[in-house]
Amino acid sequence: MAEVLVVVETTGAVGAAGGYGVKKVTLEMLTLARELGEPAAVVFGAPGGAQELGAKLGEYGAVKVYAAEGEQITAHLVAPKATVLAELIRRVQPAAVLIGSTQEGKEIAGRVAVKLDNGLLTDVVALAADGTATQVAFAGSTIVKSRVTRGLPLVTVRPNSVTPTPAPAAAPAVEAVAVALGENDTLARVVERVAEQKGTRPELTEANVVVSGGRGVGSADNFKLVEEIADLLGGAVGASRAATDSGFYPHQFQVGQTGKTVSPQLYVALGISGAIQHRAGMQTSKTIVAVNKDPEAPIFELADFGVVGDLFKVVPQAAEEIRKRT
Ligand SMILES: Cc1cc2nc3c(=O)[nH]c(=O)nc-3n(C[C@H](O)[C@H](O)[C@H](O)COP(=O)(O)OP(=O)(O)OC[C@H]3O[C@@H](n4cnc5c(N)ncnc54)[C@H](O)[C@@H]3O)c2cc1C
């Protein structure tokens, strides 16, 4: 069976205090890869990383881990990763290549496509064994089916598109990949790394529970109410674009077409109307709860459980009830 290369997205750093791990999108891609061939993970980073992640990757079906590690990778931006990946693809001739639809993933994919003169599909939500990819366009209103017709299926996979499912555990073999770079690959050098200050809340795109506030929350100060519910439920905080544009909450927490895509078990929308661009980022959530004072708000078309009411009355009561049960 041909290999399916999955480029691993990681959290933290090898040996760092916060730990080193695999992002959920990687587990989603490994789950998808199992349908297409033999999953082989590709780890870029500091020495020892592939070994450290091997067990987790094996748990989701990776039978092999290619390790491209060392200073040549960590000291530069994406160019070395694209060069190494393109070379690996030439050598292995995989059935498909899956890369996370993240900022870095898309940049690697674009560079690889140019290097190999290969077609590329981005933001794919499903990939069939015959290479037919599914993309969701125009804020979820149009489903596009397409296929790479030049070269092999090279796709970036949109996070939260596939439910990650463990496979019968295998201990993948780790194979070191030679890193042979050209002059152009090392032009941009990393001069400093600053660790992002993280709170205790889970990462928005990885969280099982997301509580989002919209314009109806009214002010940055009132967002404490949204944070309170999120903390009680062990969830992440999100916001609509109207809320971030109004300065109620930082832009990196925006959910929607031009923000983050989330797919939690529970999505709570407080004072959000449910515009199509917001729905594009959260409509695949398993259970959607909405609080809105307007019974005609479009969010109620999507909600599994809706409360028509003033969020400043409803939310404190909900918090009280949650507290009693935890
Ligand atoms: C190209 C493009 C991209 C976009 N991308 C995004 C995106 O990524 N994400 C996004 O969210 N939007 C996006 N938008 C904006 C989107 O069209 C909407 O304007 C936005 O989602 C509205 O945010 P909102 O629901 O918070 O505000 P509103 O539409 O103003 O809704 C506020 C809601 O709060 C309710 N409300 C008010 N007070 C209370 C109260 N006290 N209690 C309960 N309910 C209350 C109101 O009834 C209303 O339904 C995009 C727009 C464009 C054109």
Side-chain angles (χ1 to χ4, degrees), residues 15-72:
Y20 184 55
V22 173
K23 275 194 185 167
K24 195 168 134 207
V25 67
T26 302
L27 308 180
E28 295 173 21
M29 290 191 289
L30 286 172
T31 304
L32 182 59
R34 299 206 303 265
E35 307 290 314
L36 310 169
E38 206 165 65
V42 184
V43 174
F44 293 107
Q51 204 67 47
E52 199 170 326
L53 301 178
K56 186 76 180 172
L57 298 169
E59 215 179 288
Y60 284 80
V63 293
K64 190 187 276 183
V65 179
Y66 290 106
E69 298 178 332
E71 213 253 340
Q72 282 182 299

Side-chain angles (χ1 to χ4, degrees), residues 210 263-269 279 282-291 297-308:
V210 174
S263 193
Q265 294 297 318
L266 174 65
Y267 187 86
V268 183
R279 291 157 72 143
M282 46 65 75
Q283 61 196 354
T284 56
S285 305
K286 301 292 172 295
T287 302
I288 297 171
V289 174
V291 180
I299 192 77
F300 288 130
E301 293 163 13
L302 202 64
D304 299 284
F305 183 76
V307 181
V308 178

Side-chain angles (χ1 to χ4, degrees), residues 213-217 239-243 254-260 270-279 291-294 297-298 309-312:
R215 200 197 309 268
V217 173
S240 72
R241 180 156 150 185
Q254 183 187 312
V255 171
Q257 187 184 330
T258 44
K260 302 257 167 73
L270 304 174
I272 293 178
S273 61
I276 191 162
Q277 296 89 354
H278 186 79
R279 291 157 72 143
V291 180
N292 197 303
K293 66 181 183 186
D294 174 9
D310 184 338
L311 71 91
F312 298 104

Side-chain angles (χ1 to χ4, degrees), residues 157-228:
V157 178
R158 197 167 163 163
N160 297 314
S161 307
V162 179
T163 305
T165 335
V174 177
E175 182 183 319
V177 176
V179 179
L181 304 181
E183 211 177 287
N184 289 345
D185 295 328
T186 55
L187 290 177
R189 199 175 171 82
V190 177
V191 291
E192 191 187 8
R193 285 179 202 277
V194 181
E196 195 186 346
Q197 288 293 325
K198 283 213 177 357
T200 49
R201 292 190 193 110
E203 159 77 28
L204 183 54
T205 54
E206 310 247 312
N208 278 331
V209 176
V210 174
V211 183
S212 289
R215 200 197 309 268
V217 173
S219 71
D221 202 40
N222 289 347
F223 248 79
K224 287 188 189 127
L225 212 54
V226 182
E227 291 183 328
E228 187 189 356

